[in-house]
């Protein structure tokens, strides 16, 4: 009986400290749908200002 009351006290302490679990997030709330670029149009176009983020260069990483 003593072990049962200790467990109940511990459970009550956890409930007062943490409350209840957060509400479950549904899958449809976590997914964002976007239209894809038709036939790779974004890949074929050249953007000189944005081209730096497609390649890795040690000199650029070191700020040289």
């Amino acid at each position: 009986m003593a072990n049962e009351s200790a467990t109940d006290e511990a459970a009550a302490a956890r409930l007062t400290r943490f409350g209840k679990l957060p509400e479950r997030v549904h899958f449809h709330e976590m997914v964002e749908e976007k239209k894809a670029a038709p036939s790779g149009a974004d890949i074929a176009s050249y953007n000189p200002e944005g081209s730096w983020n497609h390649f890795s260069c040690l000199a650029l990483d070191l700020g040289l």
Side-chain angles (χ1 to χ4, degrees), residues 2-57:
N3 190 17
E4 221 174 274
S5 65
T7 305
D8 292 340
E9 291 174 10
R14 278 193 309 274
L15 184 63
T16 57
R17 181 174 178 192
F18 299 110
K20 62 178 187 166
L21 292 173
E23 296 296 323
R24 185 174 288 260
V25 178
H26 297 285
F27 181 74
H28 64 85
E29 295 172 347
M30 296 187 286
V31 177
E32 178 182 356
E33 294 182 4
K34 292 183 179 178
K35 288 191 171 190
S39 69
D42 289 342
I43 297 170
S45 63
Y46 176 69
N47 180 7
E49 292 178 2
S51 65
W52 63 270
N53 60 4
H54 294 288
F55 303 103
S56 177
C57 178

